[in-house]
Amino acid sequence: MRLDKFICTCTGLSRIQAKRVIGKGLVKVDGVIEKDQKVKINDQNEVVFDGRHLRFSGPRYIMLNKPDGAVCTSLDDDYRSVFDLFYDLERLEDLLIAGRLDADTTGLLLITDDGKWSHRITSPKKQCKKCYRVISAEAVPQDVVEQFANGIMLKGEKQPTLPAELEILSPTESLLTIHEGKYHQVKRMFGAINNRVVELHREQVGDIALDEDLEPGEWRYLTDEEIASVK
Ligand code: URA
């Protein structure tokens, strides 16, 4: 297979983007920079792009800094979808969101076409941690730390929430780490203590932290280390 086609297939980049990265000397074949997009690649060649070893048509793992106002579904005509941000990727329909966010929540969104990997993040059994920065309408009293650590009953639920860690940074700003993903969970937890979430931003999922270099709406592929951290 030609190198440019190989890059497209492995990364989801468009043909034009693949030609561009090859031309810029960002692709190495067997340890040597290769600028000829027509060179033929077989499964014995080691191809490295931007420090990543490319696997032939392997699964894709992406982190997005979700912007405010984008919905986590492709079927909404009234709002822009996070999938619009990946317009130049191939096989868009194969991508799954590993843990959705509300339209007005920003921050770390993980997206993949590896269903098993996604399941390890979203399965309630795995209790994968998610860390949110919360701006609340009212000041958060210190005793809420203990209430959240003990678990609280949310309206319409039969079981209390799992123990959650709350760190109060200022009267109306806190960091909340939860180990489950009930519908609107953070907003409902703050509702249960007679408060209201004004801004919600996800900073971390498991051991994967949002890359500070990503502006809202920007994304990048996960590193091999980040992918492997989801066990
Ligand atoms: N909890 C919420 O209430 N909303 C989100 O988007 C994520 C967690």
Side-chain angles (χ1 to χ4, degrees):
M1 182 186 281
R2 279 171 57 130
L3 181 58
D4 52 359
K5 178 89 195 306
F6 180 83
I7 298 284
C8 292
T9 313
C10 296
T11 63
L13 288 180
S14 66
R15 198 70 170 245
I16 292 171
Q17 289 173 317
K19 287 185 172 147
R20 204 173 292 149
V21 297
I22 295 166
K24 280 187 178 168
L26 297 176
V27 177
K28 280 187 183 170
V29 178
D30 298 334
V32 179
I33 290 175
E34 179 58 76
K35 289 193 174 182
D36 180 0
Q37 64 208 29
K38 294 197 199 109
V39 82
K40 288 279 193 294
I41 298 298
N42 62 42
D43 56 11
Q44 303 302 312
N45 291 123
E46 187 196 52
V47 182
V48 176
F49 161 51
D50 209 13
R52 288 170 52 222
H53 288 257
L54 297 186
R55 287 173 287 258
F56 187 70
S57 71
R60 294 168 289 177
Y61 305 89
I62 291 168
M63 77 157 69
L64 166 71
N65 184 359
K66 180 190 168 298
D68 186 16
V71 294
C72 288
T73 151
S74 50
L75 299 172
D76 204 311
D77 292 336
D78 295 331
Y79 296 91
R80 74 194 160 117
S81 157
V82 292
F83 289 103
D84 297 343
L85 299 162
F86 303 113
Y87 60 91
D88 51 358
L89 288 191
E90 291 181 351
R91 296 173 279 120
L92 207 53
E93 63 285 359
D94 293 348
L95 293 175
L96 307 161
I97 294 177
R100 293 177 178 203
L101 294 172
D102 298 335
D104 58 358
T105 303
T106 56
L108 179 59
L109 200 64
L110 296 175
I111 296 167
T112 181
D113 44 19
D114 180 344
K116 283 189 185 148
W117 188 86
S118 170
H119 183 72
R120 295 206 288 274
I121 290 174
T122 56
S123 165
K125 281 191 198 146
K126 297 282 182 187
Q127 300 189 2
C128 177
K129 75 173 175 201
K130 293 118 199 157
C131 180
Y132 294 87
R133 187 172 290 266
V134 185
I135 307 291
S136 53
E138 313 293 337
V140 179
Q142 194 59 39
D143 65 350
V144 172
V145 174
E146 202 181 330
Q147 285 185 56
F148 280 5
N150 292 334
I152 54 168
M153 277 311 285
L154 298 179
K155 258 191 204 157
E157 300 289 341
K158 295 199 175 80
Q159 303 283 341
T161 54
L162 290 175
E165 297 92 58
L166 183 71
E167 186 186 344
I168 300 173
L169 302 175
S170 79
T172 56
E173 182 172 5
S174 33
L175 288 178
L176 177 63
T177 303
I178 59 176
H179 302 265
E180 54 198 329
K182 291 184 165 53
Y183 181 67
H184 291 330
Q185 176 152 347
V186 177
K187 291 176 185 164
R188 288 163 72 205
M189 287 174 77
F190 274 71
I193 54 155
N194 299 317
N195 205 330
R196 186 168 57 83
V197 171
V198 180
E199 281 175 36
L200 189 56
H201 181 78
R202 186 154 68 191
E203 297 199 333
Q204 196 166 333
V205 173
D207 289 333
I208 304 175
L210 179 62
D211 188 330
E212 288 176 3
D213 290 339
L214 293 177
E215 295 292 331
E218 287 184 345
W219 60 271
R220 69 158 169 81
Y221 288 105
L222 297 188
T223 62
D224 288 346
E225 208 173 44
E226 288 166 335
I227 297 165
S229 73
V230 177
K231 301 208 171 72

